[in-house]
């Protein structure tokens, strides 16, 4: 896939946390919670090294994705691209880069979570070849 000009992709490290959190906050469709606090994201990155990525225009972070696995399936979270940088292939490249890391770890299938009312987000995932599952409901419980 061709790299959008001037945009660089690199591993998500905690140096980028504040900028990424700001980006997520500014992007519709990204649901944030205590799971996204600095210590929890640090723990996620430590458990899943080299699988989450950011996109930069110079020093400015304009895209991000969290990716990891539990040993059997991969999971993507919080793919976001700054509104001024959309429709340039950056979202697609971010998740493909994460999928390459999951493939290298032997993971054969990956899931993601999208709010039911995030119509544009769902259109994106369909357009890039993902299946929107109608046969599964997410179940959750506070521990
Ligand atoms: C979803 C999102 C990450 C897409 O990022 P992006 O960099 O604009 O996506 P790309 O440029 O890689 O798009 C690839 C293809 O997906 C499709 N696509 C992208 N955005 C779309 C939209 N809003 N509606 C329909 N199709 C879309 C297109 O087919 C596009 O190819 P094209 O531009 O050649 O037509 C971005 O819109 C975003 O950050 N949205 C808010 C957060 C969000 O909803 N994240 C996903 C759920 S967690």
């Amino acid at each position: 896939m061709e790299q959008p000009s001037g945009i660089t992709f690199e591993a998500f490290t905690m140096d980028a946390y504040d900028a990424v959190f700001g980006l997520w906050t500014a992007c519709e469709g990204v649901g944030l919670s205590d799971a996204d606090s600095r210590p929890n994201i640090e723990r996620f990155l430590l458990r899943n090294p080299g699988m989450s990525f950011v996109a930069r225009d110079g020093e400015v972070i304009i895209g991000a994705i969290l990716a990891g696995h539990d040993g059997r399936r991969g999971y993507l979270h919080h793919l976001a691209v700054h509104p001024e940088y959309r429709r340039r292939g950056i979202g697609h490249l971010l998740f493909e880069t994460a999928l390459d890391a999951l493939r290298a770890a032997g993971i054969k299938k990956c899931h993601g979570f999208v709010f039911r009312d995030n119509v544009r987000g769902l259109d994106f995932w369909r357009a890039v070849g993902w299946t929107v599952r109608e046969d599964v409901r997410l179940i959750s419980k506070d521990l």
Side-chain angles (χ1 to χ4, degrees):
M1 200 179 298
E2 202 180 320
Q3 198 103 334
S5 79
I7 306 299
T8 54
F9 294 80
E10 62 188 52
F12 184 162
T13 64
M14 285 309 287
D15 297 345
Y17 174 81
D18 288 334
V20 171
F21 193 83
L23 174 69
W24 284 337
T25 306
C27 283
E28 73 289 359
V30 177
L32 297 171
S33 71
D34 63 307
D36 303 299
S37 66
R38 177 180 280 275
N40 286 340
I41 294 295
E42 184 161 30
R43 194 153 73 135
F44 183 90
L45 296 178
L46 280 171
R47 284 171 58 96
N48 298 283
M51 295 185 170
S52 299
F53 294 90
V54 297
R56 284 181 189 274
D57 183 359
E59 289 303 300
V60 182
I61 287 181
I62 52 88
I65 190 166
L66 285 178
H69 70 85
D70 58 16
R72 50 189 298 283
R73 294 302 191 209
Y75 297 92
L76 299 186
H77 306 275
H78 297 352
L79 173 63
V81 173
H82 187 286
E84 286 172 20
Y85 289 83
R86 291 182 187 168
R87 303 305 286 260
R88 291 169 58 179
I90 296 168
H92 200 165
L93 262 171
L94 274 168
F95 84 71
E96 285 293 357
T97 307
L99 293 188
D100 282 345
L102 290 168
R103 283 186 195 102
I107 296 298
K108 306 277 188 235
K109 190 168 192 170
C110 188
H111 301 300
F113 306 93
V114 184
F115 287 114
R116 189 176 288 274
D117 63 359
N118 184 1
V119 175
R120 281 185 295 178
L122 288 167
D123 285 347
F124 165 79
W125 288 113
R126 283 192 195 93
V128 293
W130 288 55
T131 301
V132 177
R133 301 279 294 263
E134 304 294 347
D135 58 333
V136 179
R137 298 292 298 270
L138 184 66
I139 59 164
S140 307
K141 185 168 177 35
D142 288 332
L143 305 184

